[in-house]
Amino acid sequence: MFFFIIRRIFQTIPVLILVTIVTFILIHSAPGGPFDQERKVSPDVLKHLNARYHLDEPVWQQFGRYVGNLLQGDFGPSFKYPSHTVNDLIAAGFPVTFELAFYAILFALLIGLSAGIIASLKPNTYLDYIPMSSAMLGICLPSFVLGPLLLLVFGIWLQWFPVAGWGKIPGDKILPSITLGASYAAYIARITRGGMLDVLLQDYIRTARAKGLSTARILFVHALRGGITPAVSFLGPAIAGLLAGSFIVESVFQIPGIGRFYIQAAFNRDYTMIMGCTIFFAFLIVIFNLLADVILLLLNPKLRQEVIGGR
């Protein structure tokens, strides 16, 4: 297992290098610059601004300077917030974004696993059709549609929950967490149903039923471990997607997370902030995928033997 993790870590390095190169080239290929939308400044001031942030250097030289700082863990200064570095802004916004993603994945797991298990136990009945139809609806509704709808119904019409903010008013974390986790709950429900149906048709499950074991014992002792394996493999990219996909939800509910800085950086051509956020989220994606693979190997001895034992 140790060598598997080390090998996977080394496999992530080319991915991060490619993300860095492609993002840098795309940002600098776009027309305009980070100071084009500022109020009119004299050519001398603009020249000094470009010199301060090394934007007057050739692109290859800027890239070499950025990579040199990146290897030291420095994402550089923010063009939009001159008194802050990108590291400061990420450190300030990431805890909020991570907390939002944590609540969203809890919601997704609770609803998704429950719906998928119930549907697999009663296939082709209303206990299957209703959860799966709801899951399909959750997949079809993007967060930028579901968020305003929840705000309108539960925030404005019924006034059950606050319409904005994070951690200041009781209940202000509920609607953002549901908005962000709804589509992932739908995917988990459908994946869990498929996995559980496959397991429930296995011979050892029939044997357990023939022995007269209770449904609860068959489900929780024999079937659940194998049935949720596909859902576990989905968790890695799902958690990474929750972190990266929280930008829209943070904008809708005015949450002070890292997504707010990312969106503002995109509009303001804040090169270093865009680079920092992109590399940071790429790092999180590969880490969470690695964790999902490790958990999958721990849950599936046969797969562990194939992946590790064959080496």
Side-chain angles (χ1 to χ4, degrees):
M1 182 67 77
F2 174 75
F3 292 105
F4 169 77
I5 295 174
I6 295 297
R7 188 171 68 249
R8 286 297 308 275
I9 290 176
F10 277 106
Q11 288 175 352
T12 63
I13 294 177
V15 175
L16 294 176
I17 293 175
L18 186 62
V19 168
T20 304
I21 294 174
V22 171
T23 307
F24 192 89
I25 292 175
L26 289 177
I27 289 175
H28 286 77
S29 299
F35 305 114
D36 290 354
Q37 295 182 353
E38 299 290 338
R39 60 186 177 85
K40 291 293 182 181
V41 295
S42 65
D44 288 339
V45 173
L46 183 61
K47 181 179 178 181
H48 282 90
L49 284 172
N50 288 331
R52 179 186 176 189
Y53 293 106
H54 307 288
L55 296 175
D56 54 348
E57 297 176 348
V59 175
W60 64 268
Q61 194 170 346
Q62 294 181 44
F63 181 73
R65 183 187 299 278
Y66 184 81
V67 171
N69 294 330
L70 183 63
L71 292 175
Q72 302 175 43
D74 182 9
F75 287 121
S78 169
F79 295 169
K80 178 64 178 177
Y81 304 98
S83 60
H84 296 80
T85 66
V86 175
N87 296 57
D88 295 335
L89 297 176
I90 291 177
F94 181 66
V96 176
T97 299
F98 185 82
E99 186 181 5
L100 170 62
F102 177 73
Y103 293 144
I105 198 64
L106 284 183
F107 171 79
L109 285 174
L110 178 65
I111 301 299
L113 289 177
S114 302
I117 292 172
I118 292 173
S120 67
L121 292 176
K122 300 291 183 182
N124 301 321
T125 66
Y126 73 95
L127 291 177
D128 182 16
Y129 296 143
I130 293 176
M132 291 303 103
S133 299
S134 302
M136 186 60 69
L137 182 64
I139 293 174
C140 295
L141 272 179
S143 57
F144 61 84
V145 174
L146 181 60
L149 281 177
L150 292 178
L151 276 180
L152 181 65
V153 176
F154 297 101
I156 297 176
W157 290 351
L158 301 177
Q159 297 185 353
W160 288 357
F161 302 106
V163 298
W166 185 260
K168 296 180 179 178
I169 304 174
D172 60 359
K173 299 180 181 178
I174 295 177
L175 291 184
S177 302
I178 294 175
T179 302
L180 185 58
S183 62
Y184 292 92
Y187 282 115
I188 291 174
R190 297 194 67 83
I191 293 172
T192 302
R193 177 186 181 275
M196 288 296 296
L197 283 176
D198 288 339
V199 171
L200 291 174
L201 294 176
Q202 298 294 319
D203 291 338
Y204 70 94
I205 297 295
R206 294 195 187 97
T207 302
R209 285 175 175 154
K211 289 181 178 179
L213 298 181
S214 66
T215 302
R217 183 173 177 80
I218 292 173
L219 175 64
F220 292 106
V221 177
H222 298 285
L224 194 59
R225 184 173 180 177
I228 65 171
T229 299
V232 173
S233 64
F234 175 69
L235 282 182
I239 294 174
L242 282 170
L243 291 169
S246 64
F247 303 161
I248 296 175
V249 177
E250 290 179 8
S251 299
V252 171
F253 291 93
Q254 297 297 307
I255 297 173
I258 194 174
R260 180 189 57 177
F261 298 122
Y262 204 177
I263 292 177
Q264 290 177 354
F267 282 112
N268 294 303
R269 306 287 179 81
D270 192 342
Y271 291 166
T272 50
M273 190 66 196
I274 297 173
M275 288 291 300
C277 289
T278 304
I279 295 171
F280 183 68
F281 278 110
F283 175 76
L284 291 178
I285 288 172
V286 297
I287 289 298
F288 281 115
N289 275 288
L290 173 61
L291 289 176
D293 289 343
V294 171
I295 295 173
L296 199 60
L297 292 179
L298 293 175
L299 289 176
N300 192 333
K302 184 178 179 181
L303 181 62
R304 184 168 65 245
Q305 182 64 27
E306 292 177 356
V307 174
I308 300 176
R311 295 291 176 181

